Amino acid sequence: MLNRPTLTQFIIESQGHHADATGDFTGLLNDVATACKAIASAVARGALADVLGSAGSGNIQGEEQKKLDVIANTTMIAANEWRGHLAAMASEEMEHILPTHQRGRYLLVFDPLDGSSNTDINMTLGTIFSVLRTPDNGRDPVADDFFQPGTRQICAGYALYGPSTMLVLTTGQGVNGFTLDRNLGEFFLTHPDMVIPADTSEFAINMSNERFWYPPVQRYVAECRAGRTGPRGRDFNMRWIASMVAEVHRILNRGGVFMYPRDLKDPAKPGRLRLLYEANPMAFIVEQAGGMAITGEARMLDVKPTSLHQRVPVILGSTNEVQRIADYHREAPVMAA
Ligand code: F6P
């Protein structure tokens, strides 16, 4: 075990490649990793620690907050707010940004507990995070500072709370996965240089929304389902875990396509997933692993955010399949946004 680098060693070694590094970013990643360990511990104790069920409140998206959503959010804030690396944080669970007590060089945006409909049934959950630079303008942080396209992320990652806890990370030089040794309390590098196979015969989508999808996605999924006798000439498999972290993790390990596309279910929502703390960090990770991430019509990382809790359609995974879906969008008649 000890012949593998720990996450801390890995980050320090990577810092050594940047002559101008101050240790600030290394400190920030360590704080985020510590928060993820604490959240993993709360998730793992589950019913024994009375952390399951509703918190009796709702978030800004009008979704019911689970007790674990609130615990995970509080944990991430506590691990970061006094450490001096951040100027502000933004989270799925907070309507507004949270300026920190010092004017640090970075902004942290996170979904503290992704897939929270899985909390009460002891299924896979995750934490997603993304790091941006604080604009160098000398003023107090405002929400606008977070409205940077995904290409400007300097780091993105997720923790996966499954049979084992993992932390998967990119700083723009590939993707590396670390597994938590609970006895030692350390993440160890177990999945170096993760690469998504370009081809796949597996897709993930909530099929119950099929009638609301736009035609290009209906076409793609219909062709997959037609299998060997259809236009694709081979059988496809389908998975749906209802936790984006779990779906992306599977895709990083064996390929696949994940879709939460634009649909007509609620015309006020152009998608289900949130750009800043779900779609962008995952798109950065997927691209760094050689995959592709789009809204349908556009590259995800090029979308210019306009609000903190903005929703977007998401299609990501194995390049050749995502490219095919992008082509289907291009060939389809233009649809109203
Ligand atoms: O809110 C995000 C999320 O929980 C994702 O992690 C997941 O992919 C999706 O929502 C599940 O959606 P549905 O409830 O439609 O299956």
Side-chain angles (χ1 to χ4, degrees):
M1 174 62 69
L2 293 177
N3 57 354
R4 301 173 188 275
T6 65
L7 174 63
T8 313
Q9 289 164 342
F10 182 88
I11 298 170
I12 291 172
E13 275 160 28
S14 314
Q15 180 192 328
H17 301 146
H18 301 273
D20 54 345
T22 60
D24 230 8
F25 179 64
T26 303
L28 168 58
L29 283 186
N30 273 323
D31 297 341
V32 169
T34 302
C36 292
K37 286 183 211 171
I39 297 168
S41 166
V43 166
R45 286 184 52 74
L48 293 175
D50 192 25
V51 293
L52 304 186
S54 171
S57 50
N59 65 14
I60 170 68
Q61 351 264 340
E63 295 162 346
E64 178 201 25
Q65 278 178 314
K66 304 280 186 183
K67 285 184 199 169
L68 272 173
D69 286 322
V70 176
I71 291 169
N73 195 53
T74 313
T75 303
M76 190 58 89
I77 292 170
N80 283 286
E81 68 179 332
W82 288 98
R83 304 277 297 142
H85 309 304
L86 297 176
M89 291 179 248
S91 151
E92 176 178 8
E93 303 303 333
M94 301 188 293
E95 181 169 2
H96 303 292
I97 67 160
L98 180 73
T100 57
H101 302 281
Q102 299 97 352
R103 207 184 140 68
R105 295 160 64 206
Y106 299 105
L107 303 171
L108 178 67
V109 54
F110 56 94
D111 177 354
L113 204 63
D114 170 69
S116 50
S117 71
N118 281 353
T119 43
D120 298 343
I121 53 171
N122 194 16
M123 294 287 149
T124 301
L125 298 161
T127 297
I128 311 174
F129 60 91
S130 157
V131 179
L132 299 162
R133 259 185 234 290
T134 308
D136 191 15
N137 52 21
R139 59 165 164 67
D140 288 340
V142 293
D144 237 39
D145 297 341
F146 286 83
F147 302 163
Q148 306 181 34
T151 46
R152 303 260 285 274
Q153 295 172 100
I154 56 171
C155 168
Y158 62 78
L160 172 118
Y161 312 118
S164 52
T165 291
M166 287 194 66
L167 200 139
V168 173
L169 196 67
T170 184
T171 55
Q173 283 147 342
V175 179
N176 290 284
F178 303 81
T179 303
L180 180 64
D181 182 319
R182 283 185 190 277
N183 296 326
L184 300 181
E186 287 280 7
F187 282 106
F188 287 92
L189 180 64
T190 48
H191 295 61
D193 298 321
M194 299 176 88
V195 174
I196 300 174
D199 289 302
T200 182
S201 295
E202 196 162 73
F203 65 96
I205 193 163
N206 183 341
M207 280 297 302
S208 69
N209 292 328
E210 183 176 18
R211 67 192 184 284
F212 302 114
W213 301 335
Y214 281 179
V217 172
Q218 285 179 332
R219 173 183 172 192
Y220 176 75
V221 173
E223 289 180 1
C224 291
R225 291 174 65 200
R228 202 173 307 169
T229 54
R232 302 300 306 275
R234 67 179 200 269
D235 291 335
F236 280 74
N237 189 22
M238 200 197 91
R239 288 283 181 272
W240 190 247
I241 306 175
S243 157
M244 190 194 198
V245 168
E247 318 280 4
V248 169
H249 192 67
R250 183 187 59 251
I251 290 169
L252 277 172
N253 278 281
R254 68 173 189 217
V257 177
F258 167 84
M259 291 168 277
Y260 218 115
R262 189 190 302 279
D263 68 37
L264 295 168
K265 198 172 184 178
D266 177 352
K269 294 181 186 165
R272 175 183 167 106
L273 302 174
R274 275 51 60 107
L275 176 61
L276 285 180
Y277 41 81
E278 292 178 318
N280 265 348
M282 291 312 201
F284 189 22
I285 292 168
V286 164
E287 282 200 5
Q288 282 295 315
M292 212 176 140
I294 58 171
T295 60
E297 293 81 10
R299 179 187 178 208
M300 186 66 67
L301 295 181
D302 287 336
V303 176
K304 170 83 177 84
T306 51
S307 66
L308 221 43
H309 301 287
Q310 178 176 349
R311 294 177 191 260
V312 275
V314 176
I315 297 166
L316 56 77
S318 294
T319 295
N320 291 340
E321 292 300 305
V322 178
Q323 185 57 58
R324 173 182 286 269
I325 301 168
D327 293 344
Y328 287 5
H329 279 81
R330 231 185 331 273
E331 289 164 20
V334 176
M335 291 159 296

